Amino acid sequence: MGLSIVEKIIREHLVEGVMAAGEEIGIRIDRTLTQDATGTMACLQFEALEIPRVKTELSVSYVDHNTLQTGFENADDHRFLQSFASKYGMYFSKPGNGICHQVNLERFSTPGKTLVGSDSHTPTAGGAGMLAIGVGGLDVAAVMGGSPLYITMPEVVGVELHGELKPWVAAKDVILELLRRCTVKGGVGRAFEYCGDGVKSLSVPERATITNMGAELGATTSIFPSDEVTLDFLRREDRENDWRPLAADRDVKYDEIITIELDELEPLIAEPYSPDNVKSVSDLSGLKVDQVVIGACTNSSYTDLAMTSHILKRHGVHPDVSLHISPGSKQVLETLARHGELEGLFSGGARIGEPSCGGCIGMGAAPGTDTVSIRSFNRNWKGRSGTPDDRVYLASVETCVAAAIHGEIRDPRELGRYPQVQMPERFVINDSMILEPSREPERVKILRGPNIKPLPRREALPEEMSGTVLIKVGDNISTDTIMPAGAEILPLRSNIPAISKYVFHHVDPNFSKRAKENNGGFIIGGENYGQGSSREHAAIAPMYLGIKAVIAKSFARIHRTNLINFGILPLRFANPNDYETIEEGAEITLPRIRAQLEEEKTKRVVAMVDGRSIALTHEYTPRQIEILKSGGLLNYTKRRYAQG
Ligand code: MIC
Ligand code: SF4
């Protein structure tokens, strides 16, 4: 039977396990990507492994999230990351050079290579045929230290694209359509591989928009074939030598096939507060819009912004709208400047920010009270923008520009002639903000500011665990809810004692105080607990507060692994109805927990809840059980990989 692209790349990199869906496999990783908000922890963790130099073929450390320097913290982190990269053999992309996923796509993406990144949107690189997976920082640290990446072999879904998109309908609408059909948990345990005659009509940046938002489906990864279109993109980046063709075998048998007729799609929009809350733009026509933000790793490529410029030249921004633009990278900005499109953005009335994540992670551009903000981003969970009761809608750049011009949501097709923007023959190639590692690493001193605090560690798993249910939450709780970001909290990513005060802050500001008073305890969750970002702070900070286990109906992939990596037990209700029977304040005991986990075959754990017993399941692999027994991945990896 023929293989999919996902299977072909995995087969080339397989070092442990069998390539069958649901099985744990270990794959060799060629490259890593880290960003500043998760990178400082990854670096501290790598340091704790006591390995002198990264062992990957290429590791790049980016600064893109914490570029708002309202105090010393972020600037100190940048200096730390720069000195760390130089000493340990990583490339360093300076603040201002752009969003990790966009810069990676432009300067490093290589078909057929494996990439792990400490950011959930790492699969953006799948737009150029890379097998790219988002994980927590500790998993990246272990990979930089020479460990394979351990994942559950996903099922492979073939997304068959037919035809071509109509003018004003965008790649963003393709992924919004998938989110509408599959929901934010539809991709858990699955990889999305794009195929069909429609693939060739999409450019690499358009493909990257689609694979980027595969993260919102909860997918392990998303990938496009590597074809002439990929070669064409790499040529414009002066990297044609990085190309190799990649296609699924003709007789491939996908686990499921989803078909999308591109020419039947219409402009779509996700309403607050979930990326899968998708409607037709025309259904919302007339809704007053106060702010429009174009940018983020989903939609901030040269073609996105050049098209914006051409439309703004024709029609200016509505007087009541504030239009913010964050270019994805310095290359995008420089290319716009060289081709005269930057002028169109300014003269049309846009506010231009530096190339960074910016408003996407609440670092600026927070919307006003009771106002509507429409964004080309990928996430719209309540409060993520920095305004607690925000009303953020997600849409294509085309739909965003139409709203900026009209001051209300309008179908972009009403704007008339579509400006067909081509990519330039050559993008502006200027890697001056990407620094090479030092050739004399022993002379490099790591620069550590006062906000960088030592890593907290967890002891080995005790024989028995007991405590109180500190909080009970519902379905689809994102890591933004568990560990919020934004301008106030994000600068504390290197300081776990300080950031842990904000765990569940917007649900219960006293959560961290209560956790401390109770010496930790338990969390109860619904379906898809921990969806969204890869931030391991949503596990480290609860670990620091003494959380012992999270008992939920189901978990999102990255967060579940992060919990295990930090010695917190993710456990599932054997009978989901038991969720209803546990309230905040209940007393839970996990008797003989070490022994229970060792009874591997049953994969069951019995919990005593206020004296009654409840059956839980765990689905840990033998390796994960060892990690949990060691008190987390750091203790485990140190033992296993430090030598050699
Ligand atoms: C996000 O989009 O939520 C982030 C910020 O990029 C996160 C990483 C982080 O929290 O640092 C992600 O997507 O993994
Ligand atoms: Fe940055 Fe937003 Fe992309 Fe996360 S989703 S990497 S915060 S631009």
Side-chain angles (χ1 to χ4, degrees), residues 97 107 260:
N97 194 40
R107 305 306 303 140
I260 297 186

Side-chain angles (χ1 to χ4, degrees), residues 7 17-25 152-155:
E7 288 166 320
V18 195
M19 216 172 54
E23 292 293 317
E24 185 175 68
I25 51 169
T152 305
M153 177 68 200
E155 286 182 352

Side-chain angles (χ1 to χ4, degrees), residues 443-477:
R443 300 181 66 159
V444 180
K445 199 167 160 293
I446 305 283
L447 305 172
R448 242 175 269 265
N451 187 44
I452 300 182
K453 294 282 186 269
L455 278 177
R457 300 284 268 270
R458 174 150 274 191
E459 297 298 315
L461 189 73
E463 294 304 331
E464 175 166 309
M465 282 174 159
S466 52
T468 307
V469 172
L470 295 168
I471 197 163
K472 180 177 174 181
V473 289
D475 291 345
N476 295 321
I477 291 298

Side-chain angles (χ1 to χ4, degrees), residues 77 187 229 289 374 391 399 425-427 450 489:
D77 280 359
V229 175
V289 170
I374 158 162
R391 284 159 67 206
T399 301
E425 265 313 298
R426 276 269 185 284
F427 289 105
I489 308 175

Side-chain angles (χ1 to χ4, degrees), residues 29-276:
I29 297 299
D30 303 317
R31 299 176 175 194
T32 67
L33 160 167
T34 43
Q35 43 88 339
D36 52 327
T38 53
T40 49
M41 275 298 133
C43 288
L44 293 173
Q45 287 148 355
F46 182 78
E47 228 175 7
L49 296 176
E50 296 172 27
I51 295 172
R53 205 89 175 147
V54 296
K55 294 186 178 169
T56 40
E57 154 194 312
L58 177 76
S59 285
V60 186
S61 167
Y62 295 86
V63 177
D64 53 1
H65 284 64
N66 279 327
T67 57
L68 198 63
Q69 291 166 220
T70 51
F72 65 91
E73 293 89 348
N74 292 343
D76 279 6
D77 280 359
H78 303 167
R79 278 176 4 121
F80 167 74
L81 290 168
Q82 182 169 341
S83 58
F84 191 96
S86 179
K87 188 172 186 70
Y88 287 101
M90 305 161 83
Y91 282 72
F92 180 70
S93 172
K94 291 171 73 178
N97 194 40
I99 307 175
C100 54
H101 309 303
Q102 177 68 24
V103 177
N104 176 58
L105 192 71
E106 294 164 354
R107 305 306 303 140
F108 299 110
S109 61
T110 303
K113 296 271 184 192
T114 51
L115 169 76
V116 299
S118 60
D119 192 282
S120 62
H121 291 104
T122 302
T124 310
M130 262 189 132
L131 188 87
I133 301 177
V135 296
L138 183 46
D139 277 328
V140 178
V143 164
M144 291 194 308
S147 166
L149 175 75
Y150 292 93
I151 52 162
T152 305
M153 177 68 200
E155 286 182 352
V156 185
V157 177
V159 185
E160 223 173 87
L161 305 177
H162 294 303
E164 250 181 73
L165 291 168
K166 293 251 173 67
W168 300 104
V169 182
K172 181 66 152 279
D173 299 311
V174 176
I175 188 68
L176 287 174
E177 170 66 9
L178 269 173
L179 278 153
R180 188 183 70 74
R181 292 197 208 170
C182 304
T183 81
V184 288
K185 55 187 170 77
V188 179
R190 305 161 104 194
F192 285 67
E193 179 168 312
Y194 292 83
C195 55
D197 63 76
V199 161
K200 64 177 182 307
S201 70
L202 298 169
S203 68
V204 166
E206 288 176 308
R207 295 174 181 187
T209 294
I210 295 173
T211 56
N212 172 280
M213 259 184 111
E216 277 51 63
L217 290 165
T220 304
T221 190
S222 300
I223 196 165
F224 271 83
S226 172
D227 54 9
E228 289 298 317
V229 175
T230 324
L231 175 61
D232 174 71
F233 175 77
L234 291 173
R235 206 178 275 136
R236 293 169 202 261
E237 287 287 349
D238 203 12
R239 295 202 293 117
E240 53 267 53
N241 292 340
D242 288 343
W243 185 73
R244 70 174 253 210
L246 270 175
D249 288 333
R250 278 181 190 284
D251 54 344
V252 59
K253 198 167 168 330
Y254 290 112
D255 291 296
E256 188 191 332
I257 296 217
I258 299 176
T259 307
I260 297 186
E261 302 294 337
L262 294 176
D263 28 26
E264 285 174 16
L265 282 183
E266 57 174 328
L268 297 171
I269 187 162
E271 289 191 295
Y273 291 104
S274 183
D276 62 359

Side-chain angles (χ1 to χ4, degrees), residues 16 24-26 45 48-49 51 138-139 141-143 145-150 457-461 561 564-567 594 600 621-643:
E16 265 179 70
E24 185 175 68
I25 51 169
Q45 287 148 355
L49 296 176
I51 295 172
L138 183 46
D139 277 328
V143 164
S147 166
L149 175 75
Y150 292 93
R457 300 284 268 270
R458 174 150 274 191
E459 297 298 315
L461 189 73
T561 309
I564 295 173
N565 286 353
F566 291 95
R594 282 182 82 91
E600 266 168 39
T621 63
R623 195 184 65 90
Q624 289 174 327
I625 292 176
E626 286 310 310
I627 293 173
L628 284 165
K629 279 173 28 196
S630 317
L633 182 63
L634 203 54
N635 301 346
Y636 172 85
T637 310
K638 195 163 176 192
R639 240 190 19 236
R640 252 191 105 177
Y641 294 100
Q643 305 92 24

